[in-house]
Amino acid sequence: MPPTSKLSRIRNIGIIAHIDAGKTTVSERILYYTGKSYKIGEVHDGEAVMDWMPQEQERGITITSAVTTCNWKNSEIHIIDTPGHVDFTIEVERSLRVLDGAVIVFDAVAGVEPQSETVWHQADKYGVPKIAFVNKMDRVGADFFRVIEMMKERFSAVPLPIQIPWGQEEKFQGIVDLISEKCVIWDDSSKGAHYEAIDIPGDLMPEVELQRERMLESVAEFDDDIAEKYLGGEEISQKELHAAIRKATLAVRLVPVLCGTALKNKGIQPLLDAVVDFLPSPEDVPPVSGIHPVTKEELTRISSTKEPLAALAFKVMQDEGRKLTYLRIYSGQIKTGEELYNASKNRKEKASRLLKMHANKRERLEQAGAGDIVSVMGLKETATGDTICDEAHPILLESMEFYEPVISQAIEAKTPADQEKLSLALQKLMDEDPTLRVKYDDETAQTVISGMGELHLDVIIDRLSREFHTQVNVGKPRVVYRETIRKKVESEGHFERELGDKKHFGHVRLILEPLERGAGVETDWIPETDALPAEYVRATEEGISEAVQSGVIAGYPLVDIRVSVAGLTIKEGESSPIGYKIAAASALRDGFNKADPLLLEPVMMVSVITPAEFMGEVIGDINARRGEVQEITPKGAISEIRARVPLKALFGYSTDLRSATQGRAVFTMQFFAYDQG
């Protein structure tokens, strides 16, 4: 029975994966077969619809998440194609925050790669139901069942193959659907648009029966009705199987696994069927929760146009100088020209235009409602993570967590005219990208930009030149360190000064103690704050917070430290908020210097896939870079080496690795922790 209500026919999905697993190629095939594109765009030709930025087309990678909408079997599918490169992981994070389901693409040769694990865990963090697509089944070294085994080892969810490949490597012909017990083959002359289901050849039957039995066993573990029929030897209908698999997928207990080769146009239509059959509609996901901005009481909004408006701004983009804000509407509706309320900023905004996006092309809308992902023009103040709602029924949705940058680069404008354009351009880029930080250094008169990696900063500098016509000189990348302490100390800060005709006094006692790595910064009060004037408490906390951000050894932020306020001395008629703010900052700096301070550097988890004959050179090079090899996993003729290496030692690593392995090894890295150098 096809879904009936408009909401039940919507699917908000993301296509996510490790770099080079084939996400964008899968997206392009989906657009072609759903009639959204009249030709197939290829990533390697720089013609992919979803990779529309010049930087994406030149590098052959996805940098920014692109949103599009297509229709399949009476359902409206909103797709976000996300980047696979670790430097742009924020794009995946903010997409998953607003999506209802995800398609995770795996490379049939490489299997579960480091960034595949990252995106899988990001999806788990937001409780997003998933289906997996094992791509590149026609490649030499493709092994569907080895990928399934890797998924079992690395993830807690149970992978459920609902298809198996008919042949692999150059013998890959099509797929066997274990639910309908049919083979599906594609017609190459129609670029895979035509396909048919045929009976399973006799030589495949033993393997099909074995795999179908395993599938039924797995489903029976999660569904009592199926278990009863399975154990009683009764026939289980396709409809019953679909319903049971959908239920377990929505509960994030099973992950249906499909296969194919997107580049050779095989496997995409059954994947679209699986998106409609097994991934949730906005009606299937739990009501979104938030708090009342004033009373702080917990509120929920169910996915319905009849509820008050609740939407989350998950992405901001500059388009030809105009600001586009992407919204996921959870409840209620928005009309063009309507006044909206930004609960995060306590500001009113006007939606001057509503747009449905197709990558960088757009279609104007008069209104949009619950379940929709749209772009809005006219929201001047709204930033990523802000809640847009109905002012009469305000709600503040949970905001988004952003990663801290690990690498910095100094830039300076080439001419005074460029200097004016530079600060404006950087502000716009920061509005778009919450992982980009900008700081002006008075001592060197340089602007320091910080980001997630060398490629991230490289793209930012390229965009400054191309989009904003701003020419800059670029310094060498620098690592962003952190500062911490090694012993517990007590300290006090004292401030007493006359400014004009008013005395300002503040006296603060602090206890500083080290915490374990990754614990962040904790602030607590030993005296009861209720007994102290609120403005002095607030000023003390501000002083501590500012001192924590600016560091002591070299101006880097402090981490892994507990700051306990042991007490304030109050002088009637002389105490002032400014006095306590300065005294608190001074107490923290003095204490930090006495507490055996230490610089921490970012350490990356590096994964190198190398032919076995170069293992010695690769490991030797990692050791020379102060790296620690964690594990070595042989995978036939190649091996995967996982190691922790300080970021500072990794500048230029890709060039060195290529020359040491005749260009045959590849590596990926992701931030692991801040630790002692």
Side-chain angles (χ1 to χ4, degrees), residues 384-446:
T384 302
D386 285 0
T387 301
I388 299 294
C389 62
D390 176 355
E391 191 176 6
H393 303 90
I395 186 172
L396 203 51
L397 302 176
E398 185 189 347
S399 193
M400 297 159 75
E401 289 176 25
F402 300 122
Y403 298 90
E404 288 299 313
V406 295
I407 187 168
S408 290
Q409 203 158 15
I411 58 172
E412 57 187 17
K414 285 192 174 175
T415 67
D418 284 324
Q419 181 58 50
E420 279 179 36
K421 287 191 281 185
L422 179 62
S423 51
L424 191 65
L426 286 173
Q427 187 54 55
K428 286 185 173 178
L429 288 170
M430 274 201 296
D431 287 345
E432 269 190 39
D433 183 351
T435 56
L436 173 68
R437 305 287 162 82
V438 178
K439 194 166 112 183
Y440 186 74
D441 191 326
D442 291 319
E443 288 178 21
T444 61
Q446 285 179 316

Side-chain angles (χ1 to χ4, degrees), residues 44-63:
H44 51 263
D45 295 335
E47 290 180 355
V49 174
M50 301 297 267
D51 285 351
W52 56 270
M53 288 172 72
Q55 293 86 347
E56 295 178 312
Q57 291 166 352
E58 286 165 14
R59 291 170 169 83
I61 62 166
T62 304
I63 290 168

Side-chain angles (χ1 to χ4, degrees), residues 96 99-102 120-130 249-252 280 285-286:
L96 284 168
L99 290 170
D100 300 329
W120 188 285
H121 295 315
Q122 282 174 310
D124 279 348
K125 175 172 149 186
Y126 293 113
V128 175
K130 302 171 277 291
T249 305
L250 297 188
V252 200
V285 295

